[in-house]
Amino acid sequence: MFNLELSETHQMIRDTARQFAQEEVSPSTIQRDIKGEFPTDIVNKMGELGFLGMMVPSEWGGSDLDALSYVIAMEEISKVDASVGVVMSVNNSLVCWGINEYGTPEQKEKYLKPLASGQVIGAFCLSEPEAGSDATSQHTMATQDGDYWVINGTKNWITNGTSASTYLVLAQTDREKRHKGITCFIVEKGTEGFTHGVKEDKLGIRSSDTCSLGFTNVRVHKDNILGGVGLGFKIAMESLNGGRIGIAAQALGIAAGAFEAAVKYSQQRTAFGKPICELQAIQLKLAEMSMKVEAARLLVHKAAWMKDQHMNYIKAAAHAKLFASKTAVEVALEAIQVHGGYGYVREYLVERYLRDAKITEIYEGTSEIQHIVIARELIKEMA
Ligand code: CAA
């Protein structure tokens, strides 16, 4: 049964992540946001704490924990800094998960161990200039040349794009077969012909590292195919189901952070002779915000729990992402309103929650795509 009580282990993970976020992440958050600076030291420390390969078995360098542990840690870290949250989410859900699930023992030894233990980080390369929501329309091509495959094309919006060492790259290997002709390659940084563009200057999650990638006759050995020729789209979709739970937890963290900031401010700020939290206009907002945060947490935890139970969690993951991302935007907006003019300036932090929140409605499947995923799943269930 889905249990609403956190176990002692889950409480311990929450407390560890909370302490790490407060002590190690928080002090540099504002400066990194302003400068768009990647949190290298923080990511290294996350690796040491086991936050980068949370669901990977210990034999492959991971923490051997469940998806519920992962979302609990993601919420705490994203509550303080969603840029750090997305580095963690992509490494865990979109890179480690696929290699752990589909990799050969040799691939796990060579790539998963360093990724899961945080010695290096990874990137997941599906989106292209003309293939975002329509992910089956891959233009990046890989053609076979003896024991090697030669990749040509461009990838866009790649999280950890310049900082990663290991890249999972989706490419079309048989155009006739549409999505069944897409293959996933493990590509190492530094491979000849593999280049990255400049970091994007983004509205939010500014200290995460997003860029385009170029592939010009990049030669990759056939041993670096993940899962098998033609299995790439399946791996990508399955990875994204878990990734959507991670982003939902990131959005939940943003919403929870904005909500807490609003409550604290409303207790300190006085107007009309009393703290504004005693004014009904503010109380209505705080009550709505708290309800949405709680509901988002329930959906996120339920999706993680279903994943842990090996149930079909496609719809639950989409529910969680759709609702938590909408909640993050709405709660961040209200937190600004509660702060009044102070909410509109950088010093008070809440404007960053709004800027960070917006991306959760876009990446790893837009809200529009989540609606489609939910509708398709429920039609299947009710057929
Ligand atoms: N889980 C498992 N399989 C899935 C799936 C899911 N959620 N969604 C689709 N599939 C499977 C289908 O079952 C089908 O497989 P079969 O042919 O074997 O039955 C196959 O994928 C193709 O599906 P459709 O025929 O339905 O294809 P479509 O083109 O009509 O729709 C889509 C596919 C659902 C819209 C898909 O393209 C999609 O999810 N798009 C969004 C892409 C996305 O999320 N991009 C995020 C980029 S990564 C990112 O943001 C990372 C980052 O750095 C932060």
Side-chain angles (χ1 to χ4, degrees), residues 127 133 135 159 178-180 233 241 244 363-365 376:
S127 299
S133 290
T159 304
R178 203 176 152 255
H179 63 279
K180 290 192 169 134
F233 196 74
N241 290 330
R244 288 165 185 168
Y363 60 19
E364 301 205 20
R376 286 181 180 179

Side-chain angles (χ1 to χ4, degrees), residues 255-270:
F259 168 64
E260 282 180 19
V263 174
K264 275 189 199 140
Y265 182 79
S266 73
Q267 289 166 327
Q268 288 156 9
R269 171 75 177 179
T270 56

Side-chain angles (χ1 to χ4, degrees), residues 314-381:
I314 298 176
K315 190 179 73 180
H319 273 159
K321 182 178 185 285
L322 180 60
F323 188 81
S325 58
K326 189 167 184 276
T327 296
V329 172
E330 289 171 357
V331 170
L333 264 174
E334 282 295 63
I336 292 177
Q337 195 68 13
V338 169
H339 280 73
Y342 294 102
Y344 205 64
V345 292
R346 281 199 162 165
E347 202 187 331
Y348 277 76
L349 280 178
V350 281
E351 59 83 38
R352 182 174 54 84
Y353 284 119
L354 179 63
R355 289 189 286 105
D356 287 351
K358 186 58 204 169
I359 191 61
T360 64
E361 294 189 312
I362 298 172
Y363 60 19
E364 301 205 20
T366 61
S367 296
E368 290 74 10
I369 290 292
Q370 303 312 319
H371 280 96
I372 291 170
V373 171
I374 293 165
R376 286 181 180 179
E377 286 299 306
L378 67 88
I379 289 164
K380 262 193 259 170
E381 281 169 17

Side-chain angles (χ1 to χ4, degrees), residues 11-324:
Q11 288 179 36
M12 199 183 73
I13 287 159
R14 182 197 59 201
D15 295 345
T16 307
R18 188 173 288 172
Q19 191 181 355
F20 169 71
Q22 289 300 338
E23 290 176 5
E24 311 272 355
V25 181
S26 172
S28 55
T29 294
I30 296 176
Q31 277 314 306
R32 280 184 289 99
D33 174 62
I34 291 169
K35 293 184 188 158
E37 208 172 85
F38 188 77
T40 308
D41 293 345
I42 290 168
V43 171
N44 289 340
K45 282 183 192 153
M46 281 206 294
E48 287 164 21
L49 285 169
F51 287 142
L52 292 179
M54 289 190 73
M55 294 163 289
V56 173
S58 45
E59 64 168 317
W60 302 119
S63 303
D64 222 349
L65 291 164
D66 56 10
L68 189 54
S69 305
Y70 166 54
V71 296
I72 288 168
M74 270 295 296
E75 177 186 345
E76 292 301 327
I77 288 167
S78 303
K79 194 194 263 187
V80 169
D81 192 333
S83 293
V84 176
V86 74
V87 178
M88 177 175 163
S89 181
V90 167
N91 203 69
N92 275 282
S93 300
L94 298 186
V95 184
C96 287
W97 186 86
I99 304 179
N100 186 48
E101 204 68 19
Y102 285 96
T104 61
E106 292 73 25
Q107 289 171 344
K108 290 184 188 181
E109 184 65 39
K110 189 170 178 188
Y111 298 110
L112 184 57
K113 264 191 181 172
L115 284 163
S117 59
Q119 289 162 42
V120 300
I121 56 168
F124 175 80
C125 313
L126 174 68
S127 299
E128 299 187 351
E130 289 171 77
S133 290
D134 186 7
T136 59
S137 294
Q138 296 285 301
H139 288 67
T140 297
M141 278 298 299
T143 46
Q144 195 163 12
D145 179 15
D147 281 348
Y148 284 81
W149 287 78
V150 183
I151 307 177
N152 281 287
T154 307
K155 294 289 172 180
N156 251 25
W157 319 123
I158 305 305
T159 304
N160 301 340
T162 70
S163 321
S165 295
T166 304
Y167 297 76
L168 297 188
V169 179
L170 283 301
Q172 197 78 54
T173 45
D174 186 345
R175 207 170 283 291
E176 301 280 294
K177 292 186 179 157
R178 203 176 152 255
H179 63 279
K180 290 192 169 134
I182 293 173
T183 301
C184 183
F185 296 89
I186 306 174
V187 181
E188 294 176 20
K189 182 179 225 157
T191 308
E192 201 180 335
F194 177 29
T195 53
H196 63 75
V198 290
K199 281 189 193 177
E200 303 291 351
D201 188 8
K202 306 189 294 289
L203 173 73
I205 55 160
R206 288 178 50 76
S207 82
S208 74
D209 154 24
T210 313
C211 68
S212 60
L213 301 174
F215 298 82
T216 309
N217 296 324
V218 174
R219 293 175 73 78
V220 178
H221 195 272
K222 65 178 179 5
D223 289 350
N224 276 24
I225 288 177
L226 187 64
V229 173
L231 270 190
F233 196 74
K234 179 175 159 60
I235 296 173
M237 286 297 111
E238 290 178 3
S239 304
L240 279 164
N241 290 330
R244 288 165 185 168
I245 302 178
I247 298 304
Q250 182 201 27
L252 169 63
I254 296 169
F259 168 64
E260 282 180 19
V263 174
K264 275 189 199 140
Y265 182 79
S266 73
Q267 289 166 327
Q268 288 156 9
R269 171 75 177 179
T270 56
F272 307 104
K274 49 183 148 186
I276 62 169
C277 65
E278 290 177 24
L279 302 174
Q280 275 195 2
I282 300 298
Q283 289 179 342
L284 290 173
K285 290 185 191 301
L286 297 180
E288 280 286 317
M289 290 158 88
S290 83
M291 176 187 68
K292 287 175 181 170
V293 171
E294 281 291 316
R297 189 174 289 115
L298 284 174
L299 286 176
V300 171
H301 284 205
K302 185 183 168 202
W305 175 81
M306 286 179 74
K307 182 168 189 283
D308 288 332
Q309 303 305 310
H310 309 287
M311 295 162 82
N312 178 347
Y313 61 94
I314 298 176
K315 190 179 73 180
H319 273 159
K321 182 178 185 285
L322 180 60
F323 188 81

